[in-house]
Amino acid sequence: MLRIILLASLFACAPAAAGDLIVEKREFVTEDFRTFGGATIPRVRVGWEAYGELNEERDNVILVTHFFSGTSHAAGRYHPDDAEPGYWDAIIGPGKAIDTTRFYVISVDTLANANAHDEHVITTGPATPNPTTGKPWGLDFPVVTIRDFVEVQKRLLDSLGIRKLHAVIGASMGSFQALEWAVTYPDRVERMVSVIGAGRMHAWEVALLETWTRPIRLDPDWRGGDYYDHDRPLDGLTDSLMLITLNALNPDFFEMQFPEHEALPDEALESIHGGFAVTDWLEQRARERARVSDANHVLYLARASQLFIAGHGAGHDGDLASALARVQAPTLFLPAQGDLLLRPELAAEAHRLLEEAGHSSTMATIKGPMGHLNGIASIASQAERIERFLEN
Amino acid sequence: MLRIILLASLFACAPAAAGDLIVEKREFVTEDFRTFGGATIPRVRVGWEAYGELNEERDNVILVTHFFSGTSHAAGRYHPDDAEPGYWDAIIGPGKAIDTTRFYVISVDTLANANAHDEHVITTGPATPNPTTGKPWGLDFPVVTIRDFVEVQKRLLDSLGIRKLHAVIGASMGSFQALEWAVTYPDRVERMVSVIGAGRMHAWEVALLETWTRPIRLDPDWRGGDYYDHDRPLDGLTDSLMLITLNALNPDFFEMQFPEHEALPDEALESIHGGFAVTDWLEQRARERARVSDANHVLYLARASQLFIAGHGAGHDGDLASALARVQAPTLFLPAQGDLLLRPELAAEAHRLLEEAGHSSTMATIKGPMGHLNGIASIASQAERIERFLEN
C-alpha cells in the first residue's frame, strides 16, 4: 500500500551522505546501584552514544533522554547503509539545531529499555541476568523510576568528568527525565527542553498506561513474568504495542493514511475474523517491534512513567509546584497539536507553574497530523527555536 | 472512597417515587431473519420495553435505540426498590422531555447485546442456541450490522401496526441506529436525534474498536469463541471493558474522582504488582460488568460498529453525503464536550453534510466532565432542547 510507504518515509531518510554522523554504541557499567525505591541492583550495564567532541572544559555537553519506545540512538547511523538514522537526526548533527561541531551530545539507554532484544541496545532490567542467581531477574527486578534513569546518566557523566550540562532535552518519557534533571540537580543543568512532555502524571494517564500492561499479563506465555526459558509472550506484547502506537498517533494521521477507508470491506462483513487495512497495518507493525522488545521491560517502563512527578516528592513539599521551584535552568516546553497521549495541558501545567514562580519559561506548539509522534516526526519544524534556545 | 460513591450517584437516582415508571421486559420473536450480509438467522428473539400508551392512530411513537454497553432499559424501574432506573430516566417519563403521557416510547435490545447474561436482557447472538444444532452459535453466528439492528426493530414495529415514528433517538451506537433509520426508511421517520453520535466510522475509530476485541481473543479461556461449555473468558472481557470505560470518559472526570492522585503510592513503588486507586477502580468496575456480559457479543458489537456508515452503501452512491441526501426528517445532533471516543467532529461531519444538502439540521454540544458519557450522565442539560425539537 503506497501510503504506508509514505508513512515509513516520515521516519526514514536517504542513506548517509558524506559528513553524516557514523556512531557506535558504547557500554557503561556501574556497581551497587541503589534505586529510588531503596533496592540495590548489584551491577548496571547500559548502552550510550555520543555525537561531537567533548571540549577541554567539558562544558559543551547536551544530554538527550529517550522516550518510552526509544533507545540512545538519537542521531546518525551505525553503518553508512542503515536505512534509518537515529530518531532526532533532523536536529542533531553537524550544522543542525543541536550542532555536533559545537556540542558533545550524549544519550543513554534507560534501565529496563523496551527494546531489550535489539542488538544495538544495552540495558539492565528483568530480561538481564541477576548477578546473584545468574538467571534473568524477571519480576524480582526492583521497580525503577524516572529518577533512577537520571541517576544512571549522572554516574556516566561523573565518570566522564562532566559536571555541567549545557542542556538536557528529551521527548515524552525523555521529557520526564529532562525535567527530573532540572529539579534534582538544578546546579548542573543550564537549559531544559521538554518535548511532548509533562510535569507529572494525572489519574487518567496512570489508567491509560495500565492498559498497555494488561495484554502482557493476559498472555499465558507471560507466565507471571518468568518466561525467559520459554517462548516470549509475543501476542500480548503485540497487543500492548498496538495500543501504544494507537495512543501515540492522532485520528488525522489515520485519515491521511487510510482516507478511502471502506466501511464495508467484504471480508469484515463475511467473517468476524476478517480485518481492515488499518488494523492489519497496526498489528503488523506491532508484531515486528515485538520481536526486539521485552514484555517485562514494557511493564517496568509503564510503571516508571505512572510513578512520575517531577522531583519524586523528595527534597521539597512533594507537590509539583514546590518541585518546580527548585529549577534554575530556563525551560522550553514543546507540546504537540492533537497529542492524545500526553495532552498539551500537561506541558502547559508545568510551564504555568514555572511562570507563576517567576521563572523564565517558554512554550510553543509543534504542528502536524501525528499527535504525540509529532514530537519525533515533526521536530524539524522546531529546529530554529531549539537552536536559539541553546544559544541564549 | 467517597468520590467513587459520588460517581455511582451520577448514574443512580433515589428509589422510585409515586408516579415513577414501573416497566417490564417483553419479548419479540421473529423467524427467518436475513442479515444485511446475506446470512439467515432462523429465529431472532429480542427483549423490548415500552413507556406510555400507543394512541389509536399509532402515530405517537418514539423509538430509543441503545448504546454499545446498553440495553432496552432506557427509563423506569422493574421494581420500585431498584437502585437505578433506566439510563435516560432523566428525560423519559411522565412530564419529562420525552413525555410518556403523550408519547409511546419503545426500546429494543439489539442482536448480540453485550449484556447477554443479564437476567433483564433478551438477545440473539453467539451466546444463544442455534436452532439448527441446539448449541450456542459461537462464531458461527453471522456478522451483524447496525442495519440489522434497525431491521429487527422494524419487524417489531410492523407487528404492532406502527408505520411512522414521531422520532428516533439514540446515543453513541444508538445514534448509528437512529441515523440508519432516517436514511433507510426516510418516509417512516419524522425526527431524528443523534446523541454523542457519528455518520460513519473513520479509520481511527475502526482501530480503536479493534483494541476492545483483542484482550478477549488473547484470553486462553476464549477458546476461539467456543467457550460455552467451559469457564467464560472473564479476564479478557474485563480488560476489554476497562478499555471501553476509559475511552468513554474524559481525563477531567478522572481528575475530579482522583484529584489527590498520589504519583508515588508506596505499594506501586515497592512491587510491580502494586496498584493505583484509579486502576483498581477501573478493574473492579469492569470485572463486575463482565459477570453479565458476553465476550463474543462484545466482538460482534465492535464489528457492527466498525462497519458503520449511514445507509451501509445501499440504495445510493455508497458515500456518506449521498446516504444523508435520503434523509427527510429534521435532525438534531448533540455531540459531547471532551468526547475522546466519538469525537464531536464526527457528529459535525454528518450535520455539515446535511446542511450542505439544504437539509434542516441543528447541532449543540453537551457540556460536562465525562467525555463521551456526558451523552448519558449529562443528558438532562439537553432536556429542553430535546423537548422543543419533538414539538416542532
Side-chain angles (χ1 to χ4, degrees):
Chain A
M1 183 171 284
L2 193 63
R3 286 192 193 78
I4 304 303
I5 297 166
L6 290 175
L7 166 68
S9 73
L10 272 173
F11 295 102
C13 289
D20 277 5
L21 289 171
I22 295 299
V23 301
E24 56 175 4
K25 185 72 66 177
R26 308 183 199 187
E27 179 182 286
F28 173 65
V29 178
T30 184
E31 313 273 331
D32 290 324
F33 184 84
R34 181 94 171 159
T35 69
F36 180 75
T40 298
I41 305 173
R43 187 163 177 269
V44 164
R45 206 176 137 253
V46 290
W48 62 289
E49 299 186 9
Y51 326 109
E53 299 293 329
L54 184 60
N55 66 9
E56 221 164 284
E57 297 79 16
R58 303 182 183 192
D59 64 359
N60 68 331
V61 179
I62 294 181
L63 177 67
V64 176
T65 46
H66 72 70
F67 52 96
F68 193 103
S69 311
T71 73
S72 60
H73 193 40
R77 288 172 165 82
Y78 298 120
H79 303 288
D81 54 353
D82 282 358
E84 300 184 27
Y87 63 90
W88 263 355
D89 196 77
I91 54 165
I92 301 172
K96 296 181 182 174
I98 301 178
D99 188 348
T100 52
T101 64
R102 285 184 58 200
F103 295 115
Y104 184 60
V105 181
I106 289 187
S107 191
V108 188
D109 292 329
T110 63
L111 295 166
N113 185 287
N115 309 282
H117 305 287
D118 180 329
E119 58 172 328
H120 291 297
V121 169
I122 305 170
T123 187
T124 298
T128 53
N130 177 345
T132 314
T133 65
K135 293 183 163 188
W137 281 91
L139 300 197
D140 290 336
F141 196 73
V143 169
V144 286
T145 62
I146 299 298
R147 171 71 70 86
D148 294 312
F149 303 168
V150 164
E151 293 298 333
V152 171
Q153 292 152 6
K154 179 167 173 289
R155 286 199 184 194
L156 168 60
L157 296 174
D158 284 347
S159 79
L160 299 171
I162 295 164
R163 304 293 299 174
K164 290 258 184 196
L165 294 173
H166 182 83
V168 56
I169 173 169
S172 193
M173 190 185 79
S175 85
F176 304 169
Q177 298 163 62
L179 187 58
E180 187 69 12
W181 261 103
V183 168
T184 308
Y185 298 108
D187 55 330
R188 288 182 173 229
V189 176
E190 294 175 329
R191 289 160 198 83
M192 194 288 306
V193 185
S194 163
V195 179
I196 49 173
R200 66 175 176 119
M201 297 295 89
H202 292 241
W204 184 80
E205 286 76 32
V206 169
L208 191 72
L209 285 159
E210 191 76 7
T211 68
W212 298 0
T213 71
R214 296 193 64 100
I216 290 168
R217 295 176 180 270
L218 193 56
D219 187 335
D221 286 340
W222 181 59
R223 299 167 186 269
D226 189 18
Y227 53 78
Y228 295 105
D229 285 340
H230 304 85
D231 288 340
R232 288 188 280 135
L234 293 180
D235 290 340
L237 183 54
T238 295
D239 286 5
S240 172
L241 296 172
M242 282 178 73
L243 281 168
I244 294 173
T245 300
L246 184 66
N247 293 161
L249 287 164
N250 182 277
D252 287 349
F253 167 81
F254 287 94
E255 195 64 16
M256 283 173 57
Q257 295 295 317
F258 303 94
E260 80 284 31
H261 165 65
E262 286 283 344
L264 283 172
D266 286 345
E267 263 187 59
L269 185 61
E270 280 160 17
S271 159
I272 193 75
H273 298 296
F276 299 83
V278 60
T279 56
D280 291 347
W281 171 75
L282 261 184
E283 175 168 359
Q284 188 189 326
R285 181 184 156 88
R287 200 163 287 281
E288 278 166 20
R289 290 173 57 206
R291 285 191 305 108
V292 296
S293 304
D294 187 79
N296 281 338
H297 283 219
V298 169
L299 298 187
Y300 276 72
L301 288 190
R303 174 54 53 92
S305 300
Q306 286 176 315
L307 287 169
F308 178 62
I309 177 169
H312 279 81
H316 51 78
D317 289 345
D319 65 324
L320 183 57
S322 69
L324 294 176
R326 294 172 49 91
V327 175
Q328 293 176 21
T331 51
L332 172 62
F333 291 89
L334 299 174
Q337 176 188 41
D339 188 337
L340 301 177
L341 175 51
L342 296 181
R343 299 164 292 129
E345 294 93 305
L346 299 178
E349 176 188 43
H351 168 70
R352 176 178 54 77
L353 289 172
L354 283 161
E355 282 207 318
E356 284 174 8
H359 190 85
S360 168
S361 187
T362 310
M363 184 165 67
T365 299
I366 308 174
K367 301 279 198 289
M370 296 188 72
H372 191 62
L373 283 182
N374 285 326
I376 309 302
S378 304
I379 194 65
S381 67
Q382 300 299 316
E384 273 189 48
R385 193 186 309 273
I386 292 168
E387 189 173 1
R388 279 200 313 275
F389 182 76
L390 296 176
E391 306 254 328
N392 287 337
Chain B
M1 183 171 283
L2 194 61
R3 284 191 194 80
I4 303 301
I5 297 165
L6 290 175
L7 167 68
S9 73
L10 273 172
F11 296 103
C13 290
D20 278 5
L21 288 172
I22 295 299
V23 301
E24 55 176 2
K25 185 72 66 176
R26 309 183 198 186
E27 179 182 286
F28 173 66
V29 178
T30 183
E31 312 273 331
D32 290 324
F33 184 83
R34 180 94 172 160
T35 69
F36 179 75
T40 297
I41 305 174
R43 187 161 177 270
V44 164
R45 208 176 136 254
V46 291
W48 63 289
E49 299 186 8
Y51 326 109
E53 298 294 330
L54 184 61
N55 66 11
E56 222 166 282
E57 298 78 17
R58 302 182 184 192
D59 65 358
N60 68 331
V61 179
I62 294 182
L63 177 67
V64 176
T65 46
H66 72 70
F67 52 98
F68 193 104
S69 312
T71 73
S72 59
H73 193 39
R77 289 173 163 82
Y78 299 120
H79 303 287
D81 54 353
D82 282 356
E84 300 184 27
Y87 63 90
W88 264 354
D89 195 77
I91 56 166
I92 302 171
K96 297 182 182 174
I98 300 177
D99 187 348
T100 52
T101 64
R102 285 185 56 200
F103 296 114
Y104 184 60
V105 181
I106 290 189
S107 190
V108 188
D109 292 328
T110 64
L111 295 166
N113 185 287
N115 308 283
H117 305 286
D118 181 329
E119 59 171 328
H120 292 295
V121 169
I122 305 170
T123 187
T124 299
T128 53
N130 177 346
T132 315
T133 65
K135 293 183 163 188
W137 281 92
L139 300 197
D140 290 336
F141 195 74
V143 169
V144 286
T145 63
I146 298 299
R147 171 70 71 87
D148 294 311
F149 303 168
V150 164
E151 292 299 332
V152 171
Q153 292 152 6
K154 180 167 171 289
R155 287 200 183 193
L156 167 60
L157 295 175
D158 284 347
S159 78
L160 299 171
I162 295 165
R163 305 291 300 172
K164 289 259 184 196
L165 293 173
H166 182 83
V168 55
I169 174 169
S172 195
M173 190 185 80
S175 84
F176 305 170
Q177 299 162 61
L179 188 57
E180 187 69 11
W181 261 104
V183 168
T184 307
Y185 298 108
D187 54 330
R188 289 184 172 227
V189 176
E190 295 176 329
R191 290 160 196 83
M192 194 287 308
V193 185
S194 162
V195 179
I196 50 174
R200 66 175 176 119
M201 297 294 89
H202 291 242
W204 183 81
E205 287 77 32
V206 170
L208 191 72
L209 285 158
E210 191 77 6
T211 68
W212 297 0
T213 72
R214 297 193 64 100
I216 289 168
R217 295 176 180 272
L218 192 56
D219 187 333
D221 285 341
W222 181 59
R223 300 168 185 267
D226 189 17
Y227 52 79
Y228 295 105
D229 285 340
H230 304 84
D231 288 340
R232 288 189 281 135
L234 293 180
D235 289 340
L237 183 55
T238 296
D239 286 5
S240 173
L241 296 172
M242 282 178 73
L243 282 168
I244 294 173
T245 301
L246 184 67
N247 292 161
L249 288 165
N250 182 276
D252 286 350
F253 167 80
F254 286 94
E255 194 66 15
M256 282 173 57
Q257 294 296 317
F258 303 93
E260 81 283 30
H261 164 64
E262 286 283 344
L264 284 172
D266 287 345
E267 264 187 57
L269 185 62
E270 280 160 17
S271 158
I272 194 75
H273 299 295
F276 299 83
V278 60
T279 57
D280 291 348
W281 172 74
L282 261 183
E283 175 169 358
Q284 188 190 326
R285 181 183 155 88
R287 199 164 288 281
E288 278 167 19
R289 289 174 56 206
R291 284 190 307 107
V292 296
S293 304
D294 187 78
N296 282 338
H297 284 219
V298 169
L299 298 187
Y300 277 73
L301 288 190
R303 175 54 53 93
S305 301
Q306 286 176 316
L307 287 169
F308 178 62
I309 176 169
H312 279 80
H316 50 77
D317 289 347
D319 64 324
L320 183 57
S322 68
L324 295 176
R326 293 172 50 90
V327 175
Q328 294 177 22
T331 52
L332 171 61
F333 291 88
L334 299 173
Q337 176 188 43
D339 188 337
L340 301 177
L341 176 51
L342 296 181
R343 298 163 293 128
E345 295 93 305
L346 299 178
E349 176 188 42
H351 168 70
R352 176 179 54 77
L353 289 171
L354 284 161
E355 283 206 318
E356 283 174 8
H359 191 86
S360 167
S361 187
T362 309
M363 185 165 65
T365 300
I366 308 174
K367 302 278 198 286
M370 296 188 73
H372 190 63
L373 284 182
N374 285 326
I376 308 302
S378 304
I379 194 65
S381 68
Q382 300 299 316
E384 274 189 48
R385 192 187 309 273
I386 291 167
E387 188 173 3
R388 278 201 314 274
F389 183 77
L390 295 177
E391 306 253 327
N392 287 336

